[in-house]
Amino acid sequence: DIQLTQSPSFLSASVGDRVTITCRASQGISSYLAWYQQKPGKAPKLLIYAASTLQSGVPSRFSGSGSETEFTLTISSLQPEDFATYYCQQLNSYPRTFGQGTKVEIK
Amino acid sequence: QVQLQESGPGLVKPSQTLSLTCTVSGGSISSGNYYWSWIRQPAGKGLEWIGRIYPSGSTDYNPSLKSRVTISVDTSKNQFSLKLTSVTAADTAVYYCTREYNWNDCWGQGTLVTVSS
């Protein structure tokens, strides 16, 4: 299985901060990576697919980059509604796997 | 806009079979090059991919669950289903059904299944 390691696992930040989350894959996955946002009690929501393509309706302060084994999700200016847990997922091979999650909390 | 809704028992006894159905509305389960997947999440933990099915019936399963999992599709009802046999407490989780292309863009709200006697 391809292992995805997110860092950090926990992030404390303020409104307006620039936030970067990293996802590292145990082997190359080309650009078959997606990012999701999950709020408590809710299903994950797709933010980014194909490593860097913004899902329709997602604010432009979210962006993704990377390929093969190293990927980043950046929030350019953190908003109150962005406090949530973020997951990366690889869709290059089976089984699909997820990172362990990064919880973004208010400082 | 496609919507997904999980349904099924919220409580299953150990060693029995967990059965869930996902109903797709707002579009045909057979249209587009989409797979239909199940993902689960134990309380306070991360996401685990269970498997997926194509409308033709072709399936892919997580090897860690493969011996216990069956995913099936009923295109006439616009539904797909999950069966997980011989459940234990470790199978207690919120189960999500999703639409997968090379990403999961549509998710059901999730349904909590508790395994307990």
Side-chain angles (χ1 to χ4, degrees):
Chain A
D1 298 5
I2 294 176
Q3 309 300 318
L4 297 180
T5 303
Q6 289 181 231
S7 59
S9 296
F10 176 85
L11 175 60
S12 182
S14 300
V15 172
D17 283 353
R18 182 182 182 87
V19 167
T20 299
I21 299 169
T22 298
C23 178
R24 289 188 173 87
S26 60
Q27 58 187 271
I29 58 171
S30 185
S31 295
Y32 292 101
L33 188 103
W35 289 97
Y36 303 90
Q37 176 194 67
Q38 186 177 34
K39 295 182 179 179
K42 300 293 187 183
K45 172 188 173 184
L46 177 67
L47 299 176
I48 301 280
Y49 62 90
S52 61
T53 302
L54 194 67
Q55 170 69 346
S56 176
V58 173
S60 59
R61 63 181 179 272
F62 291 92
S63 64
S65 65
S67 66
E68 297 300 344
T69 61
E70 185 147 341
F71 302 85
T72 58
L73 172 70
T74 299
I75 309 172
S76 60
S77 177
L78 199 64
Q79 297 302 300
E81 59 268 31
D82 300 336
F83 292 95
T85 300
Y86 294 84
Y87 293 94
C88 57
Q89 182 199 21
Q90 67 81 18
L91 298 106
N92 180 72
S93 63
Y94 304 102
R96 307 312 200 198
T97 49
F98 292 86
Q100 82 279 13
T102 296
K103 188 173 185 179
V104 178
E105 290 200 343
I106 301 172
K107 190 179 231 178
Chain B
Q1 159 146 340
V2 171
Q3 294 186 311
L4 289 75
Q5 178 69 58
E6 305 89 351
S7 59
L11 181 64
V12 181
K13 289 181 167 52
S15 80
Q16 294 192 342
T17 297
L18 179 159
S19 296
L20 296 174
T21 295
C22 183
T23 300
V24 179
S25 59
S28 170
I29 201 170
S30 299
S31 67
N33 292 322
Y34 294 109
Y35 284 80
W36 303 90
S37 302
W38 289 96
I39 292 168
R40 69 180 183 178
Q41 185 174 37
K45 296 189 177 180
L47 298 157
E48 180 180 32
W49 184 80
I50 298 171
R52 69 177 194 175
I53 190 164
Y54 197 67
S56 64
S58 172
T59 54
D60 297 293
Y61 296 132
N62 191 325
S64 69
L65 298 168
K66 188 173 184 177
S67 63
R68 299 194 292 130
V69 171
T70 302
I71 298 175
S72 58
V73 64
D74 186 336
T75 55
S76 67
K77 294 183 178 179
N78 232 31
Q79 294 177 334
F80 63 106
S81 298
L82 169 71
K83 290 189 186 302
L84 182 65
T85 63
S86 304
V87 296
T88 69
D91 296 308
T92 294
V94 174
Y95 286 75
Y96 295 102
C97 58
T98 81
R99 184 177 76 172
E100 179 186 315
Y101 183 60
N102 280 325
W103 47 84
N104 293 281
D105 62 343
C106 293
W107 295 65
Q109 65 185 22
T111 188
L112 174 63
V113 178
T114 302
V115 178
S116 175
S117 55

